[in-house]
Amino acid sequence: MKLEKMQKNSSQLSNQFSTWLDRSLIVRALEFVQDLIVISLCLGLFGVMVLQLKDMFVSLLSPVNFNFHVITADILFVLILVELFRLLIIYLQEHRVSIGVAVEVSIVSVLREVIVRGVLETPWVHILSTGGFLLVLAVLLVVRVWIPPTFEGIDPETRITQSYNSHKEISKN
């Protein structure tokens, strides 16, 4: 009798604890905090883009500070920031990191470094390893179409593939 009463009290206590510790509520709260962090990253990234564009236009308009190499590096840097911004927006919409956009950011970043440093001044081993890395990224970019999405929602890779297939069928007819 006493054992049954203790089990009943224990069961009631665990039920009260489980209602207090609602997992879905905790998950929603953590996702909200994570969304706030991503939004703050977006705002910071947008601010950096605006400052970078201002500096780039100032250097373009002043003939004294005109340096084509620096301006090209700045333009590529802004493109990287735009792609990162797009990656964060996709994350806010779908709560997943888009493989395609992440690979595109990596490719542009690597190419920017090669352009900024100059191919002729870079040792051949670095050029060879960079080429291998770009090859792996290109393969990943092609293979991502066959990787099934892990979350429901907007899947840009599937949309692009469907659009491509519909245009291909229209051009056949």
Side-chain angles (χ1 to χ4, degrees):
M1 180 76 170
K2 201 173 193 180
L3 182 62
E4 288 177 16
K5 191 174 184 181
M6 285 177 58
Q7 287 176 344
K8 187 177 180 183
N9 287 340
S10 173
S11 173
Q12 288 175 347
L13 185 61
S14 70
N15 285 341
Q16 288 173 349
F17 185 70
S18 69
T19 56
W20 178 76
L21 186 68
D22 187 16
R23 286 191 181 125
S24 64
L25 180 66
I26 292 173
V27 168
R28 280 186 278 145
L30 289 175
E31 284 179 348
F32 177 74
V33 170
Q34 195 172 18
D35 285 348
L36 287 178
I37 291 170
V38 173
I39 290 170
S40 66
L41 284 172
C42 285
L43 293 174
L45 198 58
F46 190 76
V48 170
M49 278 192 284
V50 168
L51 292 175
Q52 187 69 31
L53 282 173
K54 181 190 80 77
D55 290 342
M56 189 174 61
F57 283 125
V58 166
S59 66
L60 274 172
L61 295 176
S62 67
V64 176
N65 295 334
F66 187 80
N67 186 350
F68 183 73
H69 194 69
V70 172
I71 292 172
T72 304
D74 288 345
I75 290 171
L76 290 172
F77 183 63
V78 169
L79 288 176
I80 291 168
L81 293 178
V82 167
E83 289 295 319
L84 285 173
F85 191 77
R86 188 169 69 133
L87 185 69
L88 290 173
I89 294 299
I90 290 173
Y91 181 80
L92 278 175
Q93 289 174 341
E94 302 177 18
H95 288 275
R96 72 176 184 92
V97 175
S98 173
I99 294 173
V101 177
V103 169
E104 290 169 5
V105 169
S106 302
I107 289 172
V108 173
S109 299
V110 169
L111 291 176
R112 178 193 178 272
E113 288 302 314
V114 168
I115 290 170
V116 167
R117 291 186 184 191
V119 177
L120 298 176
E121 292 83 29
T122 308
W124 68 272
V125 175
H126 291 171
I127 297 294
L128 189 63
S129 61
T130 301
F133 183 63
L134 287 173
L135 184 65
V136 168
L137 289 175
V139 168
L140 186 58
L141 201 58
V142 170
V143 169
R144 82 173 196 275
V145 176
W146 293 290
I147 297 173
T150 54
F151 298 101
E152 291 184 25
I154 301 169
D155 187 14
E157 288 87 5
T158 303
R159 259 192 333 193
I160 291 169
T161 305
Q162 289 172 349
S163 173
Y164 173 75
N165 288 338
S166 66
H167 288 297
K168 194 166 70 172
E169 287 177 16
I170 291 172
S171 65
K172 283 182 181 178
N173 295 334

Short mmCIF file of all heavy atoms in Angstrom, two decimals, residues 140-170:
data_model
loop_
_atom_site.label_atom_id
_atom_site.label_comp_id
_atom_site.label_asym_id
_atom_site.label_seq_id
_atom_site.Cartn_x
_atom_site.Cartn_y
_atom_site.Cartn_z
N LEU A 140 30.88 18.53 -55.60
CA LEU A 140 29.84 18.67 -54.58
C LEU A 140 28.68 19.51 -55.10
O LEU A 140 27.51 19.22 -54.82
CB LEU A 140 30.41 19.29 -53.31
CG LEU A 140 29.50 19.36 -52.10
CD1 LEU A 140 29.01 17.97 -51.71
CD2 LEU A 140 30.23 20.01 -50.95
N LEU A 141 28.98 20.53 -55.89
CA LEU A 141 27.95 21.38 -56.47
C LEU A 141 27.07 20.59 -57.44
O LEU A 141 25.85 20.79 -57.49
CB LEU A 141 28.60 22.56 -57.18
CG LEU A 141 27.79 23.80 -57.45
CD1 LEU A 141 27.25 24.38 -56.16
CD2 LEU A 141 28.64 24.83 -58.17
N VAL A 142 27.68 19.67 -58.18
CA VAL A 142 26.92 18.86 -59.12
C VAL A 142 26.15 17.76 -58.39
O VAL A 142 24.98 17.49 -58.69
CB VAL A 142 27.86 18.25 -60.19
CG1 VAL A 142 27.14 17.22 -61.03
CG2 VAL A 142 28.44 19.35 -61.07
N VAL A 143 26.76 17.15 -57.39
CA VAL A 143 26.15 16.01 -56.68
C VAL A 143 25.01 16.46 -55.78
O VAL A 143 24.10 15.69 -55.50
CB VAL A 143 27.24 15.26 -55.89
CG1 VAL A 143 26.65 14.24 -54.93
CG2 VAL A 143 28.20 14.57 -56.83
N ARG A 144 25.01 17.72 -55.35
CA ARG A 144 23.98 18.17 -54.40
C ARG A 144 22.57 18.03 -54.96
O ARG A 144 21.61 17.97 -54.20
CB ARG A 144 24.23 19.61 -53.99
CG ARG A 144 23.72 20.61 -55.01
CD ARG A 144 23.82 22.02 -54.50
NE ARG A 144 23.01 22.89 -55.29
CZ ARG A 144 23.38 23.46 -56.42
NH1 ARG A 144 24.59 23.26 -56.88
NH2 ARG A 144 22.56 24.25 -57.08
N VAL A 145 22.44 17.97 -56.27
CA VAL A 145 21.11 17.81 -56.87
C VAL A 145 20.51 16.46 -56.49
O VAL A 145 19.30 16.34 -56.31
CB VAL A 145 21.21 17.97 -58.41
CG1 VAL A 145 19.88 17.71 -59.07
CG2 VAL A 145 21.73 19.35 -58.76
N TRP A 146 21.36 15.45 -56.33
CA TRP A 146 20.86 14.11 -56.02
C TRP A 146 20.77 13.86 -54.52
O TRP A 146 20.28 12.82 -54.11
CB TRP A 146 21.73 13.05 -56.68
CG TRP A 146 21.62 13.09 -58.16
CD1 TRP A 146 20.55 12.72 -58.91
CD2 TRP A 146 22.60 13.56 -59.08
NE1 TRP A 146 20.81 12.92 -60.24
CE2 TRP A 146 22.07 13.43 -60.38
CE3 TRP A 146 23.90 14.07 -58.95
CZ2 TRP A 146 22.78 13.78 -61.52
CZ3 TRP A 146 24.59 14.44 -60.08
CH2 TRP A 146 24.02 14.29 -61.35
N ILE A 147 21.26 14.77 -53.70
CA ILE A 147 21.17 14.60 -52.25
C ILE A 147 19.75 14.99 -51.83
O ILE A 147 19.31 16.10 -52.12
CB ILE A 147 22.21 15.48 -51.53
CG1 ILE A 147 23.62 15.05 -51.91
CG2 ILE A 147 22.03 15.38 -50.02
CD1 ILE A 147 24.70 15.97 -51.36
N PRO A 148 19.03 14.09 -51.15
CA PRO A 148 17.66 14.43 -50.77
C PRO A 148 17.66 15.51 -49.69
O PRO A 148 18.52 15.52 -48.82
CB PRO A 148 17.10 13.11 -50.23
CG PRO A 148 18.30 12.33 -49.82
CD PRO A 148 19.41 12.76 -50.72
N PRO A 149 16.70 16.44 -49.75
CA PRO A 149 16.63 17.47 -48.71
C PRO A 149 16.26 16.83 -47.37
O PRO A 149 15.47 15.90 -47.32
CB PRO A 149 15.54 18.41 -49.20
CG PRO A 149 14.74 17.62 -50.17
CD PRO A 149 15.66 16.57 -50.75
N THR A 150 16.83 17.35 -46.31
CA THR A 150 16.57 16.78 -45.00
C THR A 150 15.39 17.43 -44.31
O THR A 150 14.86 16.90 -43.36
CB THR A 150 17.81 16.93 -44.09
OG1 THR A 150 18.19 18.31 -44.07
CG2 THR A 150 18.96 16.10 -44.61
N PHE A 151 14.96 18.59 -44.81
CA PHE A 151 13.84 19.29 -44.22
C PHE A 151 12.83 19.60 -45.30
O PHE A 151 13.17 19.75 -46.45
CB PHE A 151 14.29 20.60 -43.57
CG PHE A 151 15.26 20.41 -42.44
CD1 PHE A 151 16.61 20.60 -42.63
CD2 PHE A 151 14.80 20.02 -41.21
CE1 PHE A 151 17.50 20.42 -41.60
CE2 PHE A 151 15.69 19.84 -40.17
CZ PHE A 151 17.03 20.05 -40.37
N GLU A 152 11.57 19.73 -44.89
CA GLU A 152 10.55 20.14 -45.84
C GLU A 152 10.62 21.64 -46.01
O GLU A 152 11.13 22.36 -45.17
CB GLU A 152 9.17 19.73 -45.32
CG GLU A 152 8.96 18.23 -45.33
CD GLU A 152 7.56 17.88 -44.89
OE1 GLU A 152 6.65 18.72 -45.06
OE2 GLU A 152 7.38 16.77 -44.40
N GLY A 153 10.10 22.11 -47.08
CA GLY A 153 10.10 23.55 -47.33
C GLY A 153 10.66 23.85 -48.69
O GLY A 153 10.71 23.00 -49.57
N ILE A 154 11.10 25.07 -48.86
CA ILE A 154 11.64 25.50 -50.14
C ILE A 154 13.01 24.86 -50.31
O ILE A 154 13.87 24.97 -49.45
CB ILE A 154 11.77 27.03 -50.18
CG1 ILE A 154 10.40 27.67 -49.97
CG2 ILE A 154 12.39 27.49 -51.48
CD1 ILE A 154 10.46 29.15 -49.73
N ASP A 155 13.18 24.18 -51.40
CA ASP A 155 14.46 23.55 -51.71
C ASP A 155 14.95 24.13 -53.02
O ASP A 155 14.47 23.76 -54.09
CB ASP A 155 14.29 22.02 -51.80
CG ASP A 155 15.62 21.32 -51.95
OD1 ASP A 155 16.66 21.95 -51.71
OD2 ASP A 155 15.62 20.13 -52.31
N PRO A 156 15.90 25.08 -52.98
CA PRO A 156 16.30 25.75 -54.21
C PRO A 156 16.90 24.81 -55.25
O PRO A 156 16.73 25.02 -56.44
CB PRO A 156 17.33 26.79 -53.75
CG PRO A 156 17.67 26.44 -52.36
CD PRO A 156 16.59 25.57 -51.82
N GLU A 157 17.59 23.76 -54.80
CA GLU A 157 18.17 22.83 -55.75
C GLU A 157 17.10 22.12 -56.55
O GLU A 157 17.20 21.96 -57.76
CB GLU A 157 19.07 21.81 -55.04
CG GLU A 157 20.37 22.38 -54.53
CD GLU A 157 20.27 22.98 -53.14
OE1 GLU A 157 19.19 22.86 -52.51
OE2 GLU A 157 21.25 23.58 -52.69
N THR A 158 16.02 21.71 -55.90
CA THR A 158 14.93 21.03 -56.59
C THR A 158 14.21 21.99 -57.52
O THR A 158 13.86 21.62 -58.65
CB THR A 158 13.93 20.45 -55.56
OG1 THR A 158 14.63 19.58 -54.69
CG2 THR A 158 12.82 19.69 -56.24
N ARG A 159 14.00 23.21 -57.06
CA ARG A 159 13.35 24.21 -57.91
C ARG A 159 14.14 24.45 -59.18
O ARG A 159 13.59 24.55 -60.26
CB ARG A 159 13.20 25.53 -57.15
CG ARG A 159 11.85 25.76 -56.61
CD ARG A 159 11.68 27.15 -56.12
NE ARG A 159 12.96 27.73 -55.70
CZ ARG A 159 13.10 28.83 -55.00
NH1 ARG A 159 12.05 29.49 -54.67
NH2 ARG A 159 14.27 29.28 -54.66
N ILE A 160 15.46 24.57 -59.05
CA ILE A 160 16.32 24.82 -60.21
C ILE A 160 16.25 23.64 -61.17
O ILE A 160 16.15 23.80 -62.39
CB ILE A 160 17.76 25.11 -59.77
CG1 ILE A 160 17.81 26.46 -59.07
CG2 ILE A 160 18.72 25.09 -60.95
CD1 ILE A 160 19.10 26.76 -58.36
N THR A 161 16.30 22.42 -60.63
CA THR A 161 16.25 21.22 -61.47
C THR A 161 14.91 21.14 -62.20
O THR A 161 14.87 20.84 -63.39
CB THR A 161 16.46 19.96 -60.61
OG1 THR A 161 17.68 20.10 -59.89
CG2 THR A 161 16.50 18.72 -61.45
N GLN A 162 13.80 21.41 -61.51
CA GLN A 162 12.49 21.38 -62.15
C GLN A 162 12.38 22.45 -63.22
O GLN A 162 11.83 22.20 -64.30
CB GLN A 162 11.39 21.56 -61.09
CG GLN A 162 11.22 20.38 -60.19
CD GLN A 162 10.27 20.67 -59.03
OE1 GLN A 162 9.89 21.80 -58.80
NE2 GLN A 162 9.90 19.62 -58.31
N SER A 163 12.91 23.63 -62.94
CA SER A 163 12.88 24.70 -63.93
C SER A 163 13.69 24.33 -65.16
O SER A 163 13.27 24.55 -66.29
CB SER A 163 13.41 26.00 -63.31
OG SER A 163 13.54 26.99 -64.28
N TYR A 164 14.85 23.74 -64.94
CA TYR A 164 15.71 23.32 -66.05
C TYR A 164 15.01 22.26 -66.89
O TYR A 164 15.02 22.32 -68.12
CB TYR A 164 17.03 22.79 -65.52
CG TYR A 164 17.92 22.18 -66.57
CD1 TYR A 164 18.62 22.98 -67.47
CD2 TYR A 164 18.04 20.80 -66.69
CE1 TYR A 164 19.42 22.43 -68.45
CE2 TYR A 164 18.84 20.24 -67.66
CZ TYR A 164 19.52 21.05 -68.54
OH TYR A 164 20.31 20.49 -69.50
N ASN A 165 14.40 21.28 -66.23
CA ASN A 165 13.71 20.21 -66.97
C ASN A 165 12.53 20.75 -67.76
O ASN A 165 12.27 20.30 -68.88
CB ASN A 165 13.27 19.11 -66.00
CG ASN A 165 14.43 18.30 -65.49
OD1 ASN A 165 15.50 18.26 -66.09
ND2 ASN A 165 14.25 17.68 -64.33
N SER A 166 11.78 21.70 -67.18
CA SER A 166 10.63 22.25 -67.92
C SER A 166 11.10 23.05 -69.13
O SER A 166 10.48 22.99 -70.19
CB SER A 166 9.76 23.09 -67.00
OG SER A 166 10.45 24.24 -66.58
N HIS A 167 12.20 23.79 -68.99
CA HIS A 167 12.73 24.54 -70.15
C HIS A 167 13.27 23.59 -71.21
O HIS A 167 13.16 23.86 -72.40
CB HIS A 167 13.83 25.51 -69.70
CG HIS A 167 13.31 26.68 -68.94
ND1 HIS A 167 12.45 27.60 -69.48
CD2 HIS A 167 13.51 27.07 -67.66
CE1 HIS A 167 12.16 28.51 -68.58
NE2 HIS A 167 12.79 28.22 -67.46
N LYS A 168 13.84 22.48 -70.78
CA LYS A 168 14.37 21.49 -71.72
C LYS A 168 13.23 20.86 -72.50
O LYS A 168 13.35 20.66 -73.71
CB LYS A 168 15.16 20.43 -70.95
CG LYS A 168 16.03 19.57 -71.85
CD LYS A 168 17.05 18.76 -71.05
CE LYS A 168 16.41 17.68 -70.27
NZ LYS A 168 17.36 16.77 -69.65
N GLU A 169 12.11 20.57 -71.83
CA GLU A 169 10.97 19.97 -72.53
C GLU A 169 10.33 20.97 -73.49
O GLU A 169 9.89 20.60 -74.57
CB GLU A 169 9.93 19.51 -71.50
CG GLU A 169 10.35 18.27 -70.72
CD GLU A 169 9.33 17.90 -69.67
OE1 GLU A 169 8.19 18.39 -69.73
OE2 GLU A 169 9.69 17.10 -68.79
N ILE A 170 10.30 22.24 -73.13
CA ILE A 170 9.73 23.26 -74.01
C ILE A 170 10.59 23.42 -75.25
O ILE A 170 10.08 23.56 -76.36
CB ILE A 170 9.58 24.60 -73.26
CG1 ILE A 170 8.50 24.49 -72.18
CG2 ILE A 170 9.26 25.74 -74.21
CD1 ILE A 170 8.40 25.67 -71.26
#
